[in-house]
């Protein structure tokens, strides 16, 4: 876990999964379906595409709403989550997933203006 | 030839007598009409005995010629024709539907030896011919009339006749006898030997003989043509070079068109004045009066639709009185005798090339046979797609009214008071957009029960992202009787109502006209805001970096509405100069001097009571108390207010204070940042810069 937290984790959406295989990423999406095992669930991004998230331990409680998942992208395009965080919907402004998607696309369209690759550890 | 032509048909048609399904041979084709307009074809048809050149092909059949299906010498069955009578009594046959029975190859050649039919007095023909030119618009080979005889007449006269028919080429009949020349000379005046006319008529044709005749067709000839022939004015054809503005004048009158045969709206054009259409009124506007330098008047307009298309109709002054109460939205009428002219796209959202104006002779008759007339021709745009459309585009929209604001009254820049109402519409794409209704529609609208609302002809604006505004000419329909409405209703009842949809119209706050003038703080200096005569108003997103604590409060006159600073008389009384009174008390008022900053620049601004209270989060009185009692708490209020970001609506103005000119910025309103709207704005700015 420590390792992944030191590394820059670009925010991506489903269409960018294939370009980030074997790399650490940060994915924000809406929980669609939790598999019966509790260790896998699917999320949809702002564009409506789905991705699969796999956990190390099964979920302890029902997951719903928008989550932020940090993990590695597997060869098959699934996200092996090291940690996840649920965005609260009852407080503050509701999270606009489509708008977030637009921002993510922007970051990738103009990497020269968004230099995130600087090592986090400095 | 194996087919028998209907002998005598030509002569009958020439005389204006209707013939049922005549079989005729096409001898020649001539194209008439202005080059800019769509082509119209004039045909010379023969029944073996006579040939008629005043036959014009309806534009919907143009493809037959363009695809070479209809070629000279083929035999056709005229399944549907209309006979127009020109002012001078000549007749023009318009072919609405025909069937090709035998191709030219099969037929071999010209059947029989038809002589051109011409009106009495060949000479007259020329005249007609000229009119016919107008006919060019409607190719009915009207031209022929008259010309036919021409031959017999002197070359000129004769030719005159002929020429007309076919402007240009085979001066119709010009060589009366020949008749054949026609075929041969389709274009340009094949100088019919016999009749000089023919050849010449067309435009340049030397025409000695009959300048007039021939030319009528194309219209060009006309000018040149001596006009004797006076090309068929009648021919409404566009070309109608004839001086006479054929259309209006055109003989159409002669025809007592019975509404029985309704034309389609798509075919309406200014060159054909004898028509009747049967259509439903889709959009009726209110009466509007105007007064400008040229006088005043009133008008109302409405749009009609039939199976083929839609067109806008306007009535002015007297016609308003005549027709306003007669025309009802949703009803079907027969309309005839109105003026057609090119559509003024500025005032209409329809796609028709032309628009109609009613005049004293127009007739509108209610129609009972509404079969086939569509109820409404709407091209609904899904709300999600609105973002892709251009601002100011006119579109149709249908959606369920999720919610509606109350009616509010606004005073416009022209000092008129109007009512307005904003509705939120949602559709199957799950997106919501705000639609603004004005005036009567705003007041009449009933939003109970989440009705399905369809709007035709609303303007898309980028106000607050994307929103729609009903125009004067828009139609708002509540729970309309169309399939889309039922689909929407079903969808909404099942899932739509629960959708947490995204609205395309964000942030009503700080909305309305000038306030949405987004600027950066650096713009204040770079654009020299406030230097003009009027103050500049702008909105910006900025962070408070410093607020002056000293002199932020002052003692003001306690009387309502008087905020003048009072002078402490030191005897427990406070004097207000404006009210000219002494008061035992005062009220604290805030007057903040704050420094705002954004990424580019910072700016000192002044905040008065209301905005200051929002920034600090406390009332002036409370702060006044705090200052006297708890210094630390007082300081903390200011600390907390610093480094907060807000939306500021400001006014910048150049002011002179003791011989010094400075741009002073006052904060008129402080609003919390709406991050979504801000993000969207940034995104769109980025995209604009990137492209």
């Amino acid at each position: 876990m420590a390792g992944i937290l030191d590394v820059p984790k670009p925010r991506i959406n489903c269409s960018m999964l294939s370009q980030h295989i074997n790399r650490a990423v940060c994915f924000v999406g809406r929980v669609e379906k939790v598999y019966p095992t509790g260790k896998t669930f699917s999320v949809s991004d702002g564009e409506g595409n789905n991705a699969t998230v796999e956990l190390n331990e099964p979920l302890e409680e029902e997951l719903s709403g928008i989550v932020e998942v940090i993990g590695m992208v597997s060869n098959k395009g699934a996200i092996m989550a090291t940690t996840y965080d649920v965005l609260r919907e009852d407080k503050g402004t509701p999270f606009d997933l489509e708008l977030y998607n637009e921002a993510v696309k922007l970051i990738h369209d103009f990497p020269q203006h968004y230099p995130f690759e600087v090592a986090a550890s400095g | 030839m194996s087919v028998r032509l209907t002998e005598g048909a030509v002569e009958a048609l020439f005389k204006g007598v209707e013939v049922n399904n005549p079989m005729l041979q096409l001898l020649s084709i001539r194209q008439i009409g202005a080059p800019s307009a769509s082509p119209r074809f004039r045909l010379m048809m023969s029944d073996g005995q006579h040939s008629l050149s005043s036959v014009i092909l309806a534009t919907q059949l143009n493809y037959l010629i363009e695809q070479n299906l209809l070629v000279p010498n083929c035999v056709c069955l005229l399944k549907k024709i209309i006979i127009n009578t020109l002012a001078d009594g000549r007749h023009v046959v318009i072919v609405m539907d025909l069937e090709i029975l035998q191709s030219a190859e099969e037929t071999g050649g010209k059947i029989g030896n038809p002589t051109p039919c011409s009106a009495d007095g060949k000479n007259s023909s020329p005249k007609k011919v000229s009119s016919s030119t107008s006919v060019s618009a409607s190719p009915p080979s009207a031209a022929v009339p008259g010309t036919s005889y021409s031959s017999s007449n002197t070359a000129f006269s004769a030719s005159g006749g002929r020429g007309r028919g076919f402007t240009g080429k085979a001066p119709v009949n010009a060589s009366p006898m020949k008749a054949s020349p026609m075929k041969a000379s389709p274009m340009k005046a094949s100088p019919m030997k016999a009749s000089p006319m023919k050849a010449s008529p067309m435009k340049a044709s030397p025409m000695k003989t009959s300048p007039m005749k021939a030319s009528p067709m194309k219209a060009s000839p006309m000018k040149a043509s001596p006009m004797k022939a006076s090309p068929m004015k009648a021919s409404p054809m566009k070309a109608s070079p004839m001086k006479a503005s054929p259309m209006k004048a055109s003989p159409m009158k002669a025809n007592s068109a019975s509404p029985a045969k309704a034309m389609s709206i798509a075919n309406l054009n200014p060159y054909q004045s004898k028509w009747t259409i049967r259509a439903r009124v889709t959009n009726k506007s209110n009466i509007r009066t105007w007064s400008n330098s040229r006088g005043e008047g009133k008008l109302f307009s409405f749009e009609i639709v039939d199976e083929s298309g839609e067109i806008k109709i306007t009535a002015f002054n007297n016609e308003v009185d005549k027709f306003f109460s007669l025309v009802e939205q949703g009803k079907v009428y027969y309309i005839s005798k109105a003026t057609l002219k090119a559509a003024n796209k500025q005032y209409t959202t329809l796609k028709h090339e032309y628009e109609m104006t009613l005049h004293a002779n127009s007739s509108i008759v209610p129609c009972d046979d509404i079969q086939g007339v569509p109820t409404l021709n709407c091209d609904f745009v899904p709300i999600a797609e609105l973002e892709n459309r251009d601002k100011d585009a006119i579109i149709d929209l249908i959606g369920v009214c999720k919610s509606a604001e109350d009616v509010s009254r606004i005073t416009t820049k022209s000092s008129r008071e109007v009512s307005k109402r904003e509705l939120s519409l949602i559709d199957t794409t799950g997106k919501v957009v705000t639609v603004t209704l004005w005036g009567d529609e705003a007041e009449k609208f009933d939003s109970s029960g989440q009705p399905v609302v369809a709007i035709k002809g609303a303007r898309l604006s980028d106000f607050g992202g994307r929103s729609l505004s009903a125009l004067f000419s828009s139609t708002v329909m509540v729970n309309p009787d169309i399939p889309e409405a039922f689909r929407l209703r079903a969808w909404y009842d099942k899932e739509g109502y629960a959708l947490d949809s995204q609205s395309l119209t964000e942030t009503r706050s700080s909305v309305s006209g000038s306030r949405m003038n987004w600027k950066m703080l650096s713009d204040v200096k770079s654009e020299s805001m406030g230097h003009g005569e009027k103050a500049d108003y702008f909105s910006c997103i900025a962070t408070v970096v410093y607020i002056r604590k000293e002199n932020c409060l002052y003692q003001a006159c306690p009387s309502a509405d008087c905020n003048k600073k009072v002078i402490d008389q030191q005897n427990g009384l406070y004097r207000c100069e404006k009210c000219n009174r002494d008061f035992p008390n005062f009220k604290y008022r805030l007057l903040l001097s704050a420094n705002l900053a954004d990424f580019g620049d910072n700016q000192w601004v002044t905040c008065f009571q209301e905005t200051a209270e929002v920034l600090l989060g406390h009332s002036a009185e409370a702060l006044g108390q705090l200052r006297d009692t708890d210094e630390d708490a007082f300081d903390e209020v200011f600390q907390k207010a610093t480094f907060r970001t807000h939306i500021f609506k400001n006014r910048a103005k150049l002011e002179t204070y003791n011989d010094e000119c400075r741009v002073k910025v006052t904060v008129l309103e402080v609003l919390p940042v709406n991050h979504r709207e801000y993000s969207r704005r940034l995104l769109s700015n980025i995209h604009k810069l990137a492209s």
Side-chain angles (χ1 to χ4, degrees):
Chain A
M1 174 91 145
I4 201 170
L5 291 179
D6 290 338
V7 157
K9 297 159 283 291
R11 291 180 175 274
I12 57 162
N13 60 15
C14 287
S15 51
M16 303 165 195
L17 275 172
S18 48
Q19 289 133 308
H20 288 79
I21 292 189
N22 284 331
R23 281 195 251 163
V25 297
C26 172
F27 186 96
V28 175
R30 191 184 300 276
V31 177
E32 293 292 328
K33 183 173 172 314
V34 180
Y35 287 83
T37 61
K39 286 180 83 170
T40 316
F41 59 92
S42 65
V43 286
S44 65
D45 71 359
E47 285 175 333
N49 301 321
N50 282 0
T52 324
V53 176
E54 292 178 27
L55 302 166
N56 291 330
E57 290 99 24
L59 286 167
E60 278 153 36
E61 53 187 7
E62 197 52 44
L63 201 61
S64 72
I66 301 187
V67 298
E68 184 183 62
V69 179
I70 297 181
M72 302 281 288
V73 182
S74 72
N75 297 342
K76 292 177 294 159
I79 304 170
M80 318 295 290
T82 44
T83 174
Y84 69 89
D85 182 28
V86 183
L87 304 183
R88 293 179 69 158
E89 299 188 4
D90 50 342
K91 274 190 166 184
T93 341
F95 190 82
D96 188 335
L97 201 54
E98 280 84 15
L99 198 55
Y100 172 79
N101 185 64
E102 292 291 313
V104 169
K105 286 201 295 198
L106 203 70
I107 294 172
H108 288 264
D109 285 342
F110 299 101
Q112 68 270 35
H113 297 293
Y114 298 99
F116 289 126
E117 290 305 317
V118 178
S121 51
Chain B
M1 300 150 259
S2 39
V3 266
R4 271 208 60 110
L5 302 180
T6 315
E7 289 174 4
V10 165
E11 208 172 327
L13 287 173
F14 177 73
K15 296 206 178 94
V17 174
E18 289 254 7
V19 181
N20 221 359
N21 290 341
M23 273 201 295
L24 304 174
Q25 182 182 32
L26 173 67
L27 295 184
S28 65
I29 306 170
R30 178 187 219 84
Q31 180 168 350
I32 48 180
S36 53
S38 53
R40 293 222 67 153
F41 295 101
R42 187 167 169 176
L43 315 172
M44 180 183 274
M45 309 294 293
S46 129
D47 65 357
Q49 287 181 336
H50 295 105
S51 66
L52 185 68
S53 64
S54 45
V55 180
I56 296 202
L57 191 66
T59 48
Q60 63 253 33
L61 298 178
N62 276 3
Y63 72 94
L64 290 172
I65 295 182
E66 285 156 4
Q67 290 178 17
N68 280 331
L69 293 168
L70 196 62
V71 286
N73 280 347
C74 70
V75 177
C76 336
L77 178 73
L78 302 189
K79 288 167 75 172
K80 187 163 161 213
I81 55 176
I82 295 178
I83 300 190
N84 279 349
T85 309
L86 312 183
D88 55 2
R90 282 180 304 147
H91 302 279
V92 168
V93 177
I94 306 185
V95 179
M96 304 298 291
D97 190 9
L98 70 77
E99 195 183 304
I100 301 170
L101 296 178
Q102 192 168 282
S103 72
E105 293 73 41
E106 291 177 335
T107 315
K110 188 168 56 148
I111 301 172
N113 201 8
T115 58
C117 257
S118 61
D120 330 278
K122 322 359 136 66
N123 302 324
S124 43
S125 31
K127 303 190 204 2
K128 306 209 202 39
V129 176
S130 25
S131 36
S132 28
T133 12
S134 44
V135 191
S136 33
S138 48
S141 42
V144 196
T147 37
S148 25
Y149 297 108
S150 11
S151 41
S152 40
N153 301 333
T154 49
F156 292 99
S157 43
S159 9
R162 283 191 272 167
R164 269 188 285 236
F166 287 46
T167 14
K169 295 348 152 117
V172 315
N173 320 320
S175 41
M177 335 319 170
K178 318 309 171 8
S180 28
M182 307 311 153
K183 305 208 259 263
S185 54
M187 318 304 144
K188 321 311 170 54
S190 34
M192 317 290 152
K193 324 21 131 90
S195 38
M197 336 297 172
K198 313 211 246 271
S200 31
M202 319 319 147
K203 334 309 179 24
S205 48
M207 336 276 167
K208 309 15 127 78
T209 42
S210 50
M212 20 290 182
K213 300 42 129 221
S215 24
M217 304 325 143
K218 289 314 164 46
S220 37
M222 299 322 130
K223 329 277 190 354
S225 48
M227 313 307 140
K228 285 39 117 116
S230 54
M232 346 282 176
K233 255 130 339 199
S235 38
M237 321 307 159
K238 344 281 185 53
S240 54
M242 320 315 143
K243 317 26 135 58
S245 39
M247 310 320 149
K248 312 285 165 46
S250 30
M252 302 314 156
K253 315 195 249 234
N255 295 34
S256 48
S258 60
K261 278 197 208 142
M263 195 170 141
S264 55
I265 287 185
N267 278 339
L268 280 174
N269 59 73
Y271 312 107
Q272 202 171 342
S273 60
K274 178 192 159 201
W275 48 259
T276 304
I277 48 174
R278 180 183 68 146
R280 189 189 302 270
V281 174
T282 58
N283 208 349
K284 177 177 155 190
S285 76
N286 293 325
I287 299 186
R288 219 168 63 159
T289 57
W290 80 82
S291 91
N292 57 22
S293 51
R294 286 191 294 164
E296 43 175 42
K298 57 181 173 183
L299 68 88
F300 86 101
S301 67
F302 55 101
E303 295 167 6
I304 54 171
V305 66
D306 75 353
E307 308 87 356
S308 71
E310 320 172 77
I311 190 170
K312 175 176 148 152
I313 306 186
T314 312
F316 291 93
N317 301 319
N318 294 337
E319 280 71 55
V320 170
D321 300 324
K322 224 167 47 162
F323 294 116
F324 188 75
S325 43
L326 173 64
V327 170
E328 278 175 62
Q329 189 159 325
K331 294 236 167 87
V332 182
Y333 300 91
Y334 282 119
I335 302 178
S336 55
K337 298 211 231 7
T339 318
L340 261 316
K341 64 171 194 206
N344 186 343
K345 292 283 173 201
Q346 207 185 350
Y347 292 121
T348 180
T349 62
L350 298 182
K351 303 166 193 67
H352 205 283
E353 277 175 64
Y354 302 108
E355 59 182 3
M356 237 192 267
T357 308
L358 300 175
H359 55 78
N361 289 334
S362 306
S363 99
I364 299 187
V365 174
C367 163
D368 291 324
D369 172 23
I370 57 172
Q371 198 183 33
V373 181
T375 42
L376 214 42
N377 220 356
C378 276
D379 183 20
F380 294 118
V381 177
I383 294 183
E385 249 204 54
L386 287 180
E387 289 202 325
N388 301 333
R389 297 290 174 112
D390 292 326
K391 163 177 138 82
D392 286 343
I394 304 289
I395 52 167
D396 304 332
L397 188 79
I398 189 169
V400 178
C401 176
K402 249 182 100 136
S403 63
E405 313 273 334
D406 290 328
V407 179
S408 59
R409 289 203 70 86
I410 311 259
T411 313
T412 68
K413 287 185 271 230
S414 38
S415 311
R416 266 187 323 138
E417 272 222 345
V418 266
S419 321
K420 103 173 196 187
R421 200 137 186 221
E422 295 188 352
L423 330 168
S424 296
L425 290 195
I426 181 176
D427 73 353
T428 48
T429 61
K431 297 265 187 205
V432 169
V433 74
T434 303
V435 178
T436 308
L437 299 181
W438 303 92
D440 290 337
E441 282 180 343
E443 289 167 11
K444 280 192 305 198
F445 185 75
D446 172 21
S447 61
S448 58
Q450 273 136 2
V452 175
V453 176
I455 305 194
K456 192 166 150 60
R459 180 161 34 107
L460 183 66
S461 89
D462 64 355
F463 186 69
R466 271 283 177 274
S467 60
L468 285 156
S469 174
L471 299 172
F472 177 67
S473 57
S474 311
T475 315
V476 177
M477 290 159 283
V478 178
N479 283 329
D481 208 2
I482 45 182
E484 279 96 357
F486 299 131
R487 265 208 297 270
L488 259 175
R489 173 98 266 148
W491 165 83
Y492 189 77
D493 292 337
K494 268 205 310 222
E495 17 172 313
Y497 67 92
L499 265 192
D500 172 31
S501 47
Q502 309 260 334
S503 176
L504 294 183
T505 317
E506 293 286 353
T507 315
R508 255 41 106 38
S509 63
S510 73
V511 148
S512 89
S514 48
R515 284 208 273 176
M516 288 308 270
N517 184 19
W518 292 104
K519 294 279 177 210
M520 303 179 291
L521 288 180
S522 46
D523 289 339
V524 176
K525 301 210 181 75
S526 64
E527 292 180 13
S528 302
M529 292 180 83
H531 280 249
E533 278 204 8
K534 268 178 41 169
D536 282 320
Y537 291 85
F538 67 97
S539 297
C540 67
I541 291 195
T543 310
V544 178
V545 289
Y546 183 71
I547 308 180
R548 275 225 187 91
K549 286 203 300 269
E550 315 72 44
N551 293 335
C552 62
L553 284 161
Y554 70 95
Q555 297 153 336
C557 173
S559 41
D561 282 344
C562 178
N563 292 326
K564 183 140 179 67
K565 183 167 170 182
V566 292
I567 304 168
D568 191 341
Q569 307 262 48
Q570 299 301 334
N571 56 357
L573 287 177
Y574 300 88
R575 180 171 177 74
C576 170
E577 293 299 339
K578 193 152 82 159
C579 302
N580 223 351
R581 275 182 58 190
D582 285 336
F583 295 96
N585 59 346
F586 57 83
K587 55 184 190 205
Y588 273 120
R589 282 188 70 83
L590 281 165
L591 185 57
L592 281 187
S593 185
N595 187 282
L596 306 180
D598 67 6
F599 70 91
D601 203 350
N602 63 0
Q603 178 69 43
W604 282 99
V605 301
T606 311
C607 298
F608 289 104
Q609 175 84 342
E610 295 75 21
T611 45
E613 285 181 344
V614 173
L615 271 185
L616 294 173
H618 289 268
S619 72
E621 285 300 329
L623 279 172
Q625 304 291 348
L626 219 49
R627 186 172 65 170
D628 295 333
T629 53
D630 191 346
E631 278 272 356
D632 288 333
F634 183 71
D635 286 343
E636 200 174 324
V637 168
F638 283 83
Q639 281 288 74
K640 278 181 138 169
T642 337
F643 294 107
R644 293 251 183 107
T645 309
H646 306 267
I647 293 180
F648 293 91
K649 185 176 161 297
N650 310 314
R651 173 178 8 111
K653 182 100 188 68
L654 194 62
E655 280 173 23
T656 319
Y657 187 74
N658 292 346
D659 297 334
E660 202 185 303
C661 279
R662 267 207 248 168
V663 174
K664 296 287 203 112
V665 180
T666 318
V667 177
L668 302 170
E669 199 178 353
V670 176
L671 296 155
V673 177
N674 180 325
H675 293 277
R676 269 154 119 179
E677 195 240 340
Y678 183 38
S679 304
R680 270 190 239 277
R681 205 172 51 249
L682 287 173
L683 272 170
S684 81
N685 284 343
I686 290 176
H687 285 128
K688 264 190 263 188
L689 287 169
S691 62

